[in-house]
Amino acid sequence: MWVRLAQFLFRLGAFSVVFAFVLIAAAPLLERLMIYPLDDTRVSPADANLPAVTEEVAHHDGQELIVWTAPPAPGKPVIFYLHGNAGNLANRASRFDLLLQRGYGLVAPAYRGYSGSTGTPQEAAIVHDTVAIYDSIVHPLQAPVVIYGESIGAAVTLGALEAGITPDAILLEAPYTSLKAMAAHHYPGNGGFTKHLSNQWDSLSRAEAVILPLLILHGTEDALIPIDMGRQIFAAAPTNQKEFVEAPGAGHTGLWRTDTWPKLTRFINQFALR
């Protein structure tokens, strides 16, 4: 009996080792599927019922990046909109329309692999692309700039700020503290896997350098990114011009509502009107 038990334990241990190696080897693919569920559907602004928006193609690092743009009305800011990891630019058309109705300008790039942009998304590449688009498209507009980061776009925002872009104000929607913290929240006991993530998106550490006006919007019932993560980002930012807006009863989406939208526009107008 003891011999059979020893054989069983040996086989179990061998299986565990093999499984661990397989998991590590598959980590890049699993990581991409979880973090970047790509939607490469390319839809023109006109087909998204946004005739005032132009599609541009930015060239950076050998890639072609789709960017939707619209100039601001005189004295109004440009919203540099960094989207979430799901869907494509056309899925944000209703939001873009609301911004345009206020006279705000728009620059909305699509990350690598999204909305017709070429390449494969990865943290460093996305940050570098974002900075390049800011320098080549946003800055030449010579208008106040508010950067809006939606979900993973909040992480991109903080990464781009760390890399040196200088908007007038920052809006973060449903930010998370880091991918490691997200993995620990959704998949407890995964420590071995998170060590092999090439994307870290450590927003909590990056928030510690935020000195610009900041507004964070988060749903109280967000099951994907807990509101506590948004509160941690808020607490970490040393700026003394910051506001935390809760959307009562809201989950991860549907946060632009009649009780939150006026607060967003008030913040934008306070810090980015001329």
Side-chain angles (χ1 to χ4, degrees), residues 75-160:
K76 295 294 184 74
V78 173
I79 308 301
F80 188 29
Y81 192 102
L82 303 177
H83 64 78
N85 71 337
N88 55 47
L89 290 178
N91 296 137
R92 278 88 182 168
S94 62
R95 285 189 163 199
F96 297 160
D97 185 52
L98 282 174
L99 296 172
L100 298 178
Q101 289 179 29
R102 303 284 303 193
Y104 303 147
L106 174 71
V107 175
Y111 310 136
R112 297 186 185 200
Y114 285 86
S115 299
S117 292
T118 61
T120 301
Q122 196 274 338
E123 180 174 356
I126 292 175
V127 170
H128 292 158
D129 292 343
T130 300
V131 173
I133 290 169
Y134 183 90
D135 290 341
S136 63
I137 297 179
V138 179
H139 186 68
L141 291 173
Q142 296 185 332
V145 179
V146 176
I147 186 167
Y148 190 103
E150 171 204 337
S151 193
I152 199 172
V156 179
T157 296
L158 293 169

